[in-house]
Amino acid sequence: MQTLTPPSSYNLNKSLIRTRTLHQPNRICCVYRSDSVHFQNGIGLSRADWQSSCAILSSKVFSQEQPSSDKSADHVATVNGHKTSIDLDLVPIDQTNNKPLTTQPQKPLTITDLSPAPMHGSQLRVAYQGVPGAYSEAAAGKAYPNCEAIPCDQFEVAFQAVELWIADRAVLPVENSLGGSIHRNYDLLLRHRLHIVGEVQLPVHHCLLALPGVRKEYLTRVISHPQALSQCELTLTKLGLNVAREAVDDTAGAAEYIAANNLRDTAAIASARAADLYGMQILADGIQDDSSNVTRFVMLAREPIIPRTDRPFKTSIVFAHDKGTSVLFKVLSAFAFRNISLTKIESRPHRNRPIRLVDDANVGTAKHFEYMFYVDFEASMAEVRAQNALAEVQEFTSFLRVLGSYPMDMTPWCPSGGDD
């Protein structure tokens, strides 16, 4: 079973969050990192010590620097009764009036701010990529009803929002039934240390949107996300539209762009909710080429969930081997012998070592591409067969990481409708 253990040493970066105020005041646009603060004495082994340390550092980040003469060198950092093993420069307190000695004190973060919100409460903060009206926002609402959805302009910003405690969860797409895998998010899963805690499958229902009063024959171009354009290519041709196709970052963002710039010769492919949000009219409804158009999203959190066996679970792993792809058959056999079904296998270039050179005195130097392999299989890490399969896989690989073991999305299947 995969467990989360606080590290022996931890680097926390001071962060400045810049928000875009033109159209989405609460949209996270990017995260900047500056000088690091290092815990020289290490961190406590308990989760309480870990959270306490985060709270202390947050207080330090939001407080003004104090003169060295005002700092106490001998103290024990304690938050909510939990002692930490870290020697930090805390903000001094005036014992007479119990107030900080800073001239302009600012309220620091507390344990309540840093701790995850209730699993199914309305206070849960969920990050997604895009603007309001995006399909990712609908997926976040399906995964966590009544949550506070936090739009981010990039996939990586959504990862960072969870890592920096700005959001409690992130809901991001990883594959589409027509367009295939979203490779960017597979690479980010490996780069970041978040855990997959669930999945949700969302039927995609595309609409052709334009400004009120615009007719189809006056259109000269259609803009949307590249996958949305490819998913509607045949339908656009059947509609008799002689228009240029132009790719943008996301579907709802295309509708927002047209509305903000009053573009009467341009249409967007987006959801019906985007039409409502940005005052667009729907010229054509359900224009996806295949009604069985579904996008799979994963739910990400800072900590893994406890695997169970009382409901269907799925486990996602990533592995690699120093000697290339020759061990792939052995890895797959470890699952086949235990009757474990694979639901996905994806290869991605090995970023640190994309090419492996093999020298042969007789024929010269052979160049082999190196890959990381992502595998999803239908079993819980609480099952003995899954544990034994991964133990065998570990013997054949030089790198193995469990990305998450989580409940499968078992909602009844229905073709895409107009509710998203």
Side-chain angles (χ1 to χ4, degrees):
M1 181 184 301
Q2 187 187 33
T3 58
L4 180 66
T5 303
S8 58
S9 62
Y10 197 86
N11 286 326
L12 182 63
N13 295 323
K14 297 180 182 178
S15 306
L16 297 175
I17 309 302
R18 176 170 65 87
T19 59
R20 180 175 298 174
T21 59
L22 180 60
H23 301 293
Q24 294 85 35
N26 299 322
R27 182 184 180 195
I28 302 175
C29 290
C30 57
V31 176
Y32 298 102
R33 291 179 174 175
S34 57
D35 52 311
S36 299
V37 179
H38 183 62
F39 290 2
Q40 296 182 355
N41 296 335
I43 198 166
L45 294 180
S46 68
R47 185 173 183 269
D49 286 348
W50 182 35
Q51 288 186 326
S52 299
S53 305
C54 291
I56 295 169
L57 267 191
S58 298
S59 176
K60 180 179 177 182
V61 169
F62 280 86
S63 300
Q64 296 179 352
E65 292 294 336
Q66 299 297 314
S68 58
S69 59
D70 292 336
K71 298 176 181 178
S72 174
D74 299 325
H75 65 271
V76 178
T78 306
V79 174
N80 286 3
H82 298 292
K83 293 183 178 181
T84 68
S85 58
I86 307 161
D87 186 17
L88 297 174
D89 296 329
L90 299 182
V91 178
I93 299 296
D94 187 351
Q95 300 297 334
T96 59
N97 54 15
N98 197 30
K99 292 182 178 180
L101 294 178
T102 55
T103 56
Q104 294 180 348
Q106 300 183 23
K107 182 181 178 182
L109 295 178
T110 65
I111 287 294
T112 303
D113 296 320
L114 294 173
S115 298
M119 283 293 293
H120 301 288
S122 60
Q123 300 301 314
L124 198 69
R125 299 159 296 181
V126 181
Y128 69 93
Q129 187 274 332
V131 300
Y135 294 106
S136 293
E137 183 193 38
K142 182 178 179 180
Y144 299 104
N146 301 319
C147 69
E148 177 188 353
I150 302 177
C152 305
D153 70 338
Q154 301 174 34
F155 288 129
E156 186 158 17
V157 174
F159 277 85
Q160 292 176 334
V162 179
E163 290 177 328
L164 297 175
W165 302 79
I166 299 169
D168 305 298
R169 302 286 188 273
V171 176
L172 299 172
V174 290
E175 59 180 328
N176 176 267
S177 57
L178 299 181
S181 299
I182 291 89
H183 296 141
R184 174 63 175 163
N185 283 335
Y186 276 98
D187 295 337
L188 291 173
L189 282 172
L190 184 61
R191 181 182 305 174
H192 295 267
R193 301 299 298 182
L194 298 183
H195 304 269
I196 302 177
V197 296
E199 68 172 3
V200 60
Q201 297 181 2
L202 184 75
V204 177
H205 187 86
H206 290 310
C207 301
L208 185 66
L209 311 182
L211 292 176
V214 173
R215 300 172 60 179
K216 288 186 292 186
E217 51 265 30
Y218 296 150
L219 297 176
T220 61
R221 66 170 178 167
V222 174
I223 64 175
S224 189
H225 187 275
Q227 286 208 3
L229 291 172
S230 64
Q231 293 165 11
C232 303
E233 181 65 31
L234 295 179
T235 304
L236 291 177
T237 303
K238 291 179 181 179
L239 290 174
L241 297 179
N242 185 20
V243 294
R245 278 75 159 168
E246 185 175 318
V248 295
D249 288 340
D250 57 84
T251 55
E256 178 199 36
Y257 178 76
I258 293 174
N261 294 277
N262 194 30
L263 302 178
R264 304 192 65 83
D265 63 340
T266 306
I269 298 176
S271 65
R273 170 169 162 75
D276 294 336
L277 288 176
Y278 303 111
M280 310 278 284
Q281 68 169 335
I282 299 177
L283 297 179
D285 192 13
I287 63 172
Q288 61 275 1
D289 296 336
D290 191 335
S291 61
S292 301
N293 185 6
V294 179
T295 299
R296 174 175 170 250
F297 296 78
V298 292
M299 298 129 72
L300 304 175
R302 288 179 291 272
E303 299 183 17
I305 62 173
I306 299 176
R308 297 162 55 179
T309 58
D310 58 347
R311 60 173 298 179
F313 258 63
K314 182 183 292 184
T315 301
S316 298
I317 64 172
V318 56
F319 63 87
H321 192 268
D322 290 337
K323 297 182 180 180
T325 61
S326 58
V327 299
L328 184 58
F329 173 77
K330 296 179 181 179
V331 170
L332 298 181
S333 298
F335 297 102
F337 291 156
R338 293 169 177 84
N339 198 28
I340 298 177
S341 299
L342 303 186
T343 59
K344 183 178 180 62
I345 180 168
E346 177 84 14
S347 63
R348 295 292 298 147
H350 199 307
R351 293 279 179 165
N352 296 330
R353 192 182 59 192
I355 297 179
R356 177 171 55 93
L357 302 179
V358 179
D359 292 326
D360 190 310
N362 297 323
V363 297
T365 302
K367 303 175 184 64
H368 301 279
F369 291 161
E370 294 289 352
Y371 292 97
M372 308 286 292
F373 291 95
Y374 294 82
V375 171
D376 295 342
F377 59 89
E378 293 182 351
S380 169
M381 284 302 298
E383 299 180 52
V384 175
R385 61 172 184 158
Q387 297 172 12
N388 292 338
L390 289 191
E392 183 175 342
V393 169
Q394 195 168 18
E395 296 178 2
F396 302 134
T397 58
S398 58
F399 169 78
L400 172 64
R401 177 177 159 192
V402 178
L403 299 173
S405 188
Y406 48 92
M408 296 175 57
D409 184 1
M410 303 297 291
T411 54
W413 162 253
C414 63
S416 60
D419 57 345
D420 51 71

